[in-house]
Amino acid sequence: MNTYVVCMDSSWVRDSQMFDIAGLIDDELGDINMYSADSEDKWHDMEPTPFIAVIKAESEKEACKKAASQMRYDPRCLFAIKVSE
């Protein structure tokens, strides 16, 4: 049995953005309103590879099927990376 990290293939994800916190100190993070008009320039498009699960399986295909079943995704939208045997 191998261990796989299963992720969503980014080609099946749309409109992903992340908030850029570069230059902010930890004390500022709790006070910032990420959704205000003043913060709009901190949002950037990103290429996601959203983490789905860590799965024990015999193959990448089996890991994707198991994760899809647990998380209610279509396994054809997932990929798996073997991290250990």
Side-chain angles (χ1 to χ4, degrees), residues 13-17 45-46 48:
V13 179
R14 181 175 140 178
D15 298 335
S16 292
Q17 291 189 316
D45 290 342
M46 63 177 280

Side-chain angles (χ1 to χ4, degrees), residues 66-80:
K66 284 183 173 183
S69 176
Q70 290 176 8
M71 305 303 287
R72 297 187 181 108
Y73 289 120
D74 189 308
R76 298 172 296 176
C77 298
L78 305 178
F79 68 93

